[in-house]
Amino acid sequence: MNSPSPLIKMDTEKGVKRWHSWIGYMAAVWSLLYGAMHLYWLIRGEGYPFKNEGVGMFSAIITYLPAQMGGIILVIFCLIGFVIGIAMQRSRERVLPGWLVLIFAWVFAAVLLLFIPDASLIAVMAYAFLIKFAFNWLMFNQIICIIGALLWIFTAIVYYRRIRNACEYCGRTEDRQPSLLVHWSRWITIIAALAPLPYALTRFAWALNIPLGVDARFLQDFSNVNPMANITEWVFGTVCIGGGLLTLGLIQKWGEVFPRWLPFIGGKRVPILLAVIPASIVAIAVTAAGFVSTFTFFTVKFNLMPADDILLSSIGGTVGPMLFWVPWGITLGLAAIAYYYRRRGRCLHCGRDHNA
């Protein structure tokens, strides 16, 4: 098989490196296609993905809206998004006020990240360590929405850089002051590493048959329903502790250079994206699940959602530790960004090399 010509390879690399020039169009096209899907579901009434089924109290926030209302809201968001996405690419013409464009972009991204995903994505990641995999159309739809949210986030970032005359590729300006994010990255990373500890400690306690935060009967019923409950608790707790330790690598030397005792790769530099991409994926999944869990916790606590006495008495142990997940996800995402800022080199577009 013939390898791609150098010219094609050069054009491909140039296209990737100039992502800032087409990301807005990608966000607009995604909005148009996803809006068309919801318009189809509104007309036909079949295949609407946001139904409160399968995950119970940890369902996505949008599933509590009537299907008709949820569909209409998303169609409106997507249609406006298509128009604004095109306008953002033509920002030099200033068709709309910059602040209005940015507010819409960030609100749309927040809706797609926080109100549509449920707890199933982080559950799939956790159960993968138990060699259990479950995937369906509903979860695939959530991934589509997360991709859309990321497109809108990067579109908003590029637009903000453009209107403040910063480099559209790296965001640096003539001001050589390091960003506050880099300045506070150590504390942010430590918080991200400690945030999963309450959940891990609760799981370890349950594995030892200690009803920490829950009713003893709840723990017994849980063990009866799931014969592998003890193993599950040990795995979930260990994954959280391991994730916290790996998070510390974002501020440690071994997070930049592989330890020398590792075969083949010892002493080599850690690729930046090898740390940033996994941390960002976990940050998104944890934040989404944490938002749903926080919603569940307070709706049960204030009797806005029906719950039996056992669940009500155990809500502090079952869902309480997950209140730390939103701070966990946010700080982990910020820590990953700070790590990227700290390690990236001179910009090939503007030539600047300071942290910003």
Side-chain angles (χ1 to χ4, degrees):
M1 181 180 294
N2 296 329
S3 59
S5 69
L7 181 59
I8 295 176
K9 184 177 180 182
M10 186 184 305
D11 288 342
T12 302
E13 290 178 352
K14 183 178 179 181
V16 172
K17 290 179 180 179
R18 291 186 58 80
W19 62 272
H20 52 85
S21 66
W22 48 257
I23 192 69
Y25 291 121
M26 290 290 291
V29 170
W30 180 93
S31 300
L32 183 64
L33 294 176
Y34 197 66
M37 288 172 61
H38 273 276
L39 188 60
Y40 168 80
W41 288 325
L42 279 173
I43 295 172
R44 293 293 302 272
E46 299 175 1
Y48 182 72
F50 305 121
K51 298 178 180 178
N52 195 336
E53 299 173 353
V55 288
M57 293 195 309
F58 296 101
S59 298
I61 307 300
I62 195 173
T63 60
Y64 294 96
L65 293 176
Q68 200 79 0
M69 182 185 299
I72 291 173
I73 290 173
L74 284 174
V75 166
I76 292 173
F77 260 110
C78 288
L79 291 180
I80 296 175
F82 174 73
V83 174
I84 288 186
I86 300 298
M88 292 174 81
Q89 288 300 106
R90 302 174 180 274
S91 58
R92 291 180 177 86
E93 300 176 12
R94 290 296 182 92
V95 179
L96 297 170
W99 62 268
L100 181 62
V101 170
L102 286 173
I103 287 176
F104 174 83
W106 284 110
V107 169
F108 194 12
V111 168
L112 294 171
L113 279 180
L114 300 179
F115 288 85
I116 291 177
D118 54 32
S120 58
L121 291 178
I122 194 67
V124 165
M125 293 181 186
Y127 275 105
F129 290 92
L130 291 168
I131 321 298
K132 291 183 178 181
F133 302 93
F135 197 78
N136 54 38
W137 155 241
L138 298 182
M139 293 181 60
F140 182 67
N141 181 74
Q142 293 179 34
I143 292 174
I144 292 174
C145 291
I146 290 173
I147 291 173
L150 292 175
L151 288 174
W152 275 103
I153 287 172
F154 283 113
T155 297
I157 290 172
V158 170
Y159 182 81
Y160 178 68
R161 290 172 177 175
R162 190 176 299 153
I163 62 177
R164 63 192 286 260
N165 296 319
C167 174
E168 293 181 16
Y169 183 78
C170 70
R172 295 180 175 103
T173 62
E174 294 295 341
D175 181 9
R176 300 187 66 84
Q177 294 285 336
S179 70
L180 288 176
L181 183 58
V182 174
H183 179 76
W184 290 100
S185 61
R186 183 174 184 82
W187 287 108
I188 291 172
T189 305
I190 290 173
I191 293 172
L194 295 177
L197 284 182
Y199 183 82
L201 293 176
T202 301
R203 292 295 182 168
F204 287 147
W206 291 3
L208 295 171
N209 292 319
I210 300 172
L212 179 62
V214 298
D215 188 275
R217 181 182 163 191
F218 176 91
L219 194 60
Q220 182 62 45
D221 291 344
F222 183 66
S223 299
N224 292 336
V225 173
N226 183 5
M228 296 182 61
N230 280 2
I231 296 176
T232 301
E233 308 309 345
W234 282 117
V235 170
F236 285 5
T238 302
V239 168
C240 286
I241 297 296
L245 292 175
L246 287 175
T247 299
L248 292 176
L250 298 174
I251 54 173
Q252 298 295 326
K253 186 65 176 177
W254 55 267
E256 299 183 14
V257 179
F258 288 112
R260 293 194 174 278
W261 52 266
L262 288 174
F264 306 114
I265 59 174
K268 296 182 178 180
R269 291 183 65 79
V270 176
I272 297 177
L273 295 184
L274 184 62
V276 172
I277 291 178
S280 300
I281 292 173
V282 173
I284 290 171
V286 166
T287 303
F291 190 76
V292 170
S293 301
T294 302
F295 175 82
T296 298
F297 181 86
F298 287 107
T299 51
V300 170
K301 274 292 187 181
F302 291 105
N303 298 316
L304 299 175
M305 180 186 295
D308 57 42
D309 292 339
I310 295 179
L311 178 60
L312 189 58
S313 63
S314 302
I315 194 74
T318 55
V319 185
M322 299 180 191
L323 297 179
F324 293 91
W325 283 17
V326 171
W328 176 16
I330 292 174
T331 53
L332 178 58
L334 292 175
I337 295 171
Y339 174 88
Y340 171 78
Y341 279 174
R342 192 173 64 251
R343 290 199 56 198
R344 64 181 178 170
R346 180 184 297 273
C347 178
L348 300 177
H349 292 257
C350 68
R352 303 182 182 110
D353 62 355
H354 57 280
N355 291 328

